[in-house]
Amino acid sequence: MIKINEQIINSTLFPDGTSSLRAEIPDSDNITLTWCFDGNHEMSEIFYLVNHIRTHRRDAGLSLIMPYIPNARMDRVRNEDEVFTLKYFSSFINSLGFDCVKVCDPHSDVSAALIDRIERIPHMPFIERVMKEISFDPGKDIMFYPDAGCAKKYESVIKLPYLKGEKKRDWRTGKIEGLELSGNIPDEPFRVLIVDDICSRGGTFFYSAQKLKEAGATDIYLYVTHCENTILEGELIKSGLVTRIFTTDSIYSEKDENINIIESFRQKGE
C-alpha cells in the first residue's frame, strides 16, 4: 500500500503485467510517500512515483515513511550463495534521495545503518498502550523476549523483570528446532506480555507460549510491531495459547478477530 500525503494510490496492471498508475501531486512544499509493504512489485511503483513527483514538483521536499523495512531479516550472509538483499534494497532506497526515511522498530541495527537519513518512529508508545489495554501489573506480570537479541533491544527501555527464550534455529531454512526459558520463573502463576519486532507464521511465539504455560503462565499476550499476514496460517492462532495479539498494520493487511491493530499506518487521511 502506497500513499502520497495520505491519499492512497490505486494501481492496476496492463495486460503484460506492468503497472498502470494514477497519482495527483499535492500542491505542497513538502510531500510524503508512505509505503506499507505488500510485496516486491511495489518497489517499481515507488520508483515511478518518485520520478513522477520530481518531474512535476522539482522544488518540493520529499520524504518516505516506511514503517517496515523490507528484506530486514536478510541482514547478514554466511555463505557465498546467499544474496545480501537488505544491502541492495537499502541502496535502491538511498538512490531515490529522500530528505528523510522514517522507519519503525528496525529488525536490527544493520538495516538502520544501511539507509541514509533515517529517522525512527517511536514504538514504545505502542507497547505502553498494550500494557494499559491488558492492565499489565509490573509487580506481578512478566515481560518475555523470545531470544537474546530481542532482550538486548528492549530491556534498556522497558525496565521491568523479564524472562527470555533461547532458540535453536536452522539458519538456512529458518525453522525453529527448539526453545528453552532463561531467567527467574515466578513461584506463583503469572501473566506474560511477549514483545518482539516481527512475526511470520508465529512459530517462535507458539513454542514460547508452550514453554511459558508449562512454567505456570496463565494469560499470555503478544505484541509485535510488524506482523505478516502468514500468522493466520500458523499454529499460534489455532492453538489458543495466546490470549490476545497486538500489532501495527505496517505489513499486516487482513482482518481477523484474533489480531488487534494498536496503530494504523494504512488509514487514508481525511
Side-chain angles (χ1 to χ4, degrees):
M1 188 281 301
I2 302 172
K3 296 187 291 185
I4 296 181
N5 280 21
E6 298 305 314
Q7 297 303 309
I8 295 175
I9 302 302
N10 294 313
S11 66
T12 57
L13 296 177
F14 287 112
D16 65 354
T18 53
S19 298
S20 173
L21 297 165
R22 299 288 185 274
E24 294 185 10
I25 303 175
D27 184 15
S28 172
D29 293 333
N30 294 289
I31 297 173
T32 300
L33 274 176
T34 299
W35 180 16
C36 293
F37 181 76
D38 286 326
N40 278 335
H41 65 281
E42 291 174 325
M43 288 180 63
S44 62
E45 295 178 358
I46 289 290
F47 175 80
Y48 297 141
L49 289 169
V50 167
N51 281 275
H52 177 63
I53 291 168
R54 291 215 164 103
T55 297
H56 296 280
R57 295 299 312 277
R58 294 181 183 277
D59 297 328
L62 182 57
S63 300
L64 175 65
I65 297 176
M66 182 175 62
Y68 170 73
I69 301 176
N71 303 289
R73 287 192 181 91
M74 200 63 180
D75 58 1
R76 71 199 73 180
V77 292
R78 300 185 180 183
N79 301 287
E80 289 187 358
D81 62 342
E82 294 174 335
V83 180
F84 197 174
T85 52
L86 175 60
K87 178 181 178 180
Y88 307 134
F89 171 80
S90 299
S91 295
F92 164 73
I93 293 297
N94 293 340
S95 73
L96 298 178
F98 292 106
D99 296 330
C100 71
V101 179
K102 296 183 179 182
V103 304
C104 189
D105 203 2
H107 183 56
S108 71
D109 290 336
V110 175
S111 54
L114 287 171
I115 297 175
D116 296 339
R117 295 174 292 280
I118 197 167
E119 294 183 14
R120 299 187 186 224
I121 300 169
H123 60 274
M124 270 307 300
F126 307 156
I127 299 174
E128 290 167 354
R129 280 160 54 188
V130 171
M131 295 174 75
K132 183 178 180 180
E133 180 77 16
I134 66 174
S135 300
F136 187 90
D137 184 345
K140 297 179 180 178
D141 303 333
I142 297 292
M143 304 296 296
F144 178 79
Y145 307 122
D147 55 45
C150 179
K152 182 179 179 180
K153 181 177 185 177
Y154 293 109
E155 67 178 348
S156 61
V157 290
I158 307 176
K159 300 182 183 299
L160 294 171
Y162 67 87
L163 299 172
K164 69 179 179 180
E166 296 181 359
K167 291 185 290 187
K168 295 181 180 179
R169 184 192 293 272
D170 185 318
W171 170 256
R172 291 186 70 87
T173 66
K175 184 177 180 181
I176 299 170
E177 298 176 336
L179 184 143
E180 297 296 331
L181 300 184
S182 175
N184 296 320
I185 300 172
D187 295 327
E188 301 294 327
F190 57 97
R191 299 195 313 159
V192 181
L193 173 58
I194 303 173
V195 172
D196 206 349
D197 58 0
I198 189 168
C199 171
S200 182
R201 296 177 65 87
T204 294
F205 310 115
F206 172 75
Y207 290 114
S208 297
Q210 280 188 325
K211 288 293 184 179
L212 288 165
K213 286 288 187 180
E214 292 173 8
T218 54
D219 290 332
I220 299 174
Y221 301 92
L222 168 64
Y223 167 82
V224 286
T225 305
H226 310 294
C227 184
E228 299 178 13
N229 293 335
T230 48
I231 189 175
L232 301 178
E233 303 169 8
E235 293 181 278
L236 182 66
I237 295 287
K238 303 170 187 175
S239 71
L241 290 169
V242 175
T243 305
R244 294 178 68 186
I245 300 171
F246 300 88
T247 188
T248 75
D249 62 1
S250 59
I251 49 176
Y252 183 77
S253 59
E254 298 291 339
K255 291 184 179 180
D256 187 273
E257 61 182 6
N258 297 292
I259 309 295
N260 299 263
I261 304 299
I262 199 71
E263 178 68 15
S264 176
F265 295 102
R266 292 175 180 264
Q267 289 180 356
K268 185 176 180 180
E270 298 296 330

